[in-house]
Structure formats: structure tokens, C-alpha cells
Amino acid sequence: MIQGKFNWDIDIVNKAEETIGRLRYNPKCRKTDEVFDVKYAQVRKILSSVVAIKNKLGVEQRKSKSFDKLPENIAMEVRFLKTTFLYQAGRDKDNKYPVKNFIEDSQLVEMVECIGTDVKKFDMFCKYVEALVAFYKYRAVSVIAAANEAWNKNKPFSNQNYNQSNGNRR
């Protein structure tokens, strides 16, 4: 797998929003966790892997107050994220590769390859992954709300009408 370099000068918030905006909608789903082809749990798994390393870095920083390079053990864990991402992409057989497409579109592997021992790049990477999860959840809730609103408008019979016309039934 040949990866390009990641452009660290971009606005990661806009990139995260655009990446989530390109996810394919699953119109059969009524739950926010499965509203897109990429499941929320799959995106959260990526975040949890990143947050675990971020927490280890925080412990190391408290021990030595501050540093501008990732310790070698933390840098190795960051590099290992690539295998975590590729494994998640490879597990997705039934859904025809939306996780693989998401990982490629979000450029997560390219970012990991470019971090090296740079603390600032790792911090930016963490914020980017957090933004991906936040935009996913926000967009999923918005899509479900719009679908529910459209469904309720087209619903011929509602419980509210039933309860009002038959006052003693609840």
C-alpha cells in the first residue's frame, strides 16, 4: 500500500466535516448508530485506539513535565495505529468496503505515517479523529431527525389521534 504525504497545513475541522459528509447514507436504517454504511462503533473503535495512546502520552508528560518529541514507546504505538486501521478495513467483507473507503478518504494512514515523533502532529491527529466522531454523530442525528419528520408527516394514523378520539383508552 503506497501512501502519499499528508498536508498538515489544512483545516482539520473542515476536512473532518467533509469526510463525514461523503459517507453513504443507509436509508433502511432508523438508528443513529447505523445510519451510514460505516457504523458508529467502527468509527468509535478508531477513536478509542487513539485516545488510549493520548492518555499514555499524558502520563509521560506529567512525569517529565514537557517534551517536544514522542517517547519511542509512544511513537511505536502511534505507528501501530496503521495496523489497527488496516485491520478494521480488512474485516469489512459483507458491507463492500465502506470502512476501507472511509480510512482512505479520511487519510488516517497517511497522517500516522507522517507523525513520527512530533508531539504537535500527534495532538492535531487526535483532534482530527475526535472531530470525525463528533461530525459523524451530529450528522447521523440530523439525518435520523429529518427521516423521522418526513415519516411522521406521511403517517396516515397516529397514536395521538387514536387517544384523542377514544378518550378513555391509553
Side-chain angles (χ1 to χ4, degrees), residues 127-144:
K127 289 176 181 175
Y128 176 61
V129 173
E130 290 168 357
L132 286 170
V133 172
F135 282 116
Y136 182 105
K137 193 64 171 178
Y138 176 78
R139 184 166 176 236
V141 168
S142 299
V143 166
I144 290 293

Side-chain angles (χ1 to χ4, degrees), residues 19-121:
T19 299
I20 297 303
R22 287 189 291 271
L23 290 179
R24 283 189 323 203
Y25 172 63
N26 179 3
K28 297 176 187 170
C29 185
R30 309 278 297 168
K31 298 188 323 190
T32 58
D33 292 354
E34 298 176 357
V35 75
F36 304 113
D37 285 346
V38 176
K39 307 290 185 264
Y40 185 63
Q42 294 165 319
V43 178
R44 287 282 308 167
K45 186 162 184 93
I46 291 169
L47 176 65
S48 66
S49 300
V50 172
V51 168
I53 297 170
K54 183 179 177 181
N55 291 340
K56 289 179 184 179
L57 178 62
V59 169
E60 291 292 323
Q61 285 176 323
R62 279 185 229 106
K63 285 180 187 176
S64 63
K65 296 297 176 198
S66 69
F67 47 85
D68 57 349
K69 288 188 173 185
L70 295 173
E72 189 53 41
N73 62 328
I74 303 282
M76 180 59 183
E77 288 194 45
V78 171
R79 286 191 304 274
F80 196 74
L81 283 172
K82 178 179 175 179
T83 63
T84 302
F85 300 155
L86 297 178
Y87 175 75
Q88 286 298 314
R91 290 186 72 223
D92 183 39
K93 293 183 180 167
D94 298 337
N95 215 5
K96 297 290 185 199
Y97 313 117
V99 176
K100 178 180 184 276
N101 295 337
F102 171 73
I103 288 172
E104 289 174 355
D105 190 34
S106 62
Q107 295 184 293
L108 291 170
V109 173
E110 288 91 339
M111 290 180 84
V112 166
E113 289 177 340
C114 293
I115 291 171
T117 59
D118 191 322
V119 174
K120 289 180 182 178
K121 285 182 180 177

